[in-house]
Structures are given as C-alpha cells and as structure tokens.
Amino acid sequence: MSFEQAIEFYKAGKFQEALTLFNDLIISNPNQAQLHLHRGRVLSRLGKTELAISDFDLIVELEPYNTDFISDRAVVLHLLKRNEEALSEFDRAANLDPGNPYRYSSRAYFKDRIGDLEGAISDYDKAIELDPEDAVAYNNRGLVEEKVGYQARAKKSFKKADDLVGYKAPEPMPSIPKKEVEIESTEEAEKKMTFSHFVQILKSVASNPKTQKEFSTYLKNLFSGKKK
C-alpha cells in the first residue's frame, strides 16, 4: 500500500482501486492534506461530490491560506450548486493571491457559468492587466463580450488573442463541401463537467494558449443553450 500506487490507479482511471488505497492511507496517516486532496478528487470522479466536499473542507481547514486548496474547494461547491459559497471562496483566493492572474481567470470562468457576464468581463480585464500577453484571457473575454452583445469589443479581443499566438484564419475553400458538425448540447456538456474537467479547464484557460481554439468551441457549445 503506497501513495504512489494510489496515484497510479487514479491516473489510470481505476478510481475504485485508488479510493480503497486512499481510504487505507488516511486511516494510517490522518489529517494529511495531500491524501484528503486526492481522495476528494477520486470521489468527485466517481460522482460522489457530496462525500468529496468533506475532504476539501478538511484540507482548507488544515491549510487555510493555501489558495490552490481554496480554489479547488470552490469548484466542488459550484458542482454542488452552492454558488454563493463558491463565489466567496473564489473571492478569498483572489484576495490572498491578488497578483496571480489565474485567480481572476478562474473566477471569470465561474462567473460566466453562473450568468454574471459583466463580472466575468471585469475579471478577465484584471487578468489581462496582470498578464498582457495572455492570449487565452483575451479570447475568453471576447466570448463573454460576444454573449453580452459587445460585438465590436469582442472582435478586438479576438484579434488581440490571434495576434498574440500568431493565428491566421484559413482561406475559405468554397469548392470543398463542408461536413456537418455534430454540436454537443448544453445538457451533455454539463454532465461532463466533473471536478477534474473543471480544474483542467481553469488551468488551461489561464496558462496554455494552445487550448485557445478548442476552449473557444467548448464554451460556445456549453453556453449555446438555456442555462440551468
């Protein structure tokens, strides 16, 4: 029984096996933040979010100023639809780590999901102020501006994002028939939004320009329908 083996099970998608090991490790090593962090993630991947929140509550209690733990807990609260508490935690993470653009990009993404579009734009503005080279923040701000109806502003945000990553739109090829693309419904996209998926997206939108176009498509699909 080892932490490394539990992690290997987790990475391999063997969540039940990972959970068994983490349970045993926690019995032998109580109140170890990393053990509870990973068990919480495993429980979330198994769809047991109600149980997972207990682990995230504990790690924040053990390390109350760890902004990564606070942000992770905020994600789980959001998945439980406890959005006021989630916002409070995103706010706390930003207040404790005000110079980190990721704090504002992640809160902006959350605000976008709950329908606070002006708040999301404001947070993307702050993220861009802290990191003017963040192409993804420009791109995602453009997506929100587009939804609000600020078409001219959105166009400028998209252009800035494209300029930063050196993206050029391909030339149209009218002679080649386009294949129909199956668009994922909002309901299907929501079902796929697990803790791990949410956190992966938050990290990507804040730090990896290569995900820009994929994330753009994802968000357009996610918010193309009626919000829950």
Side-chain angles (χ1 to χ4, degrees), residues 178-184 217 221:
K178 296 181 180 179
K179 294 183 179 180
E180 292 186 2
V181 178
E182 184 178 349
I183 301 299
E184 179 178 62
T217 301
N221 291 343

Side-chain angles (χ1 to χ4, degrees), residues 59-76:
I59 63 173
V60 170
E61 181 180 335
L62 292 170
E63 298 187 26
Y65 302 111
N66 186 317
T67 51
D68 288 332
F69 289 175
I70 294 169
S71 184
D72 283 356
R73 181 172 182 268
V75 172
V76 179

Side-chain angles (χ1 to χ4, degrees), residues 119-131:
I121 291 172
S122 178
D123 274 341
Y124 281 128
D125 287 344
K126 182 63 176 179
I128 289 168
E129 177 187 328
L130 292 170
D131 183 5

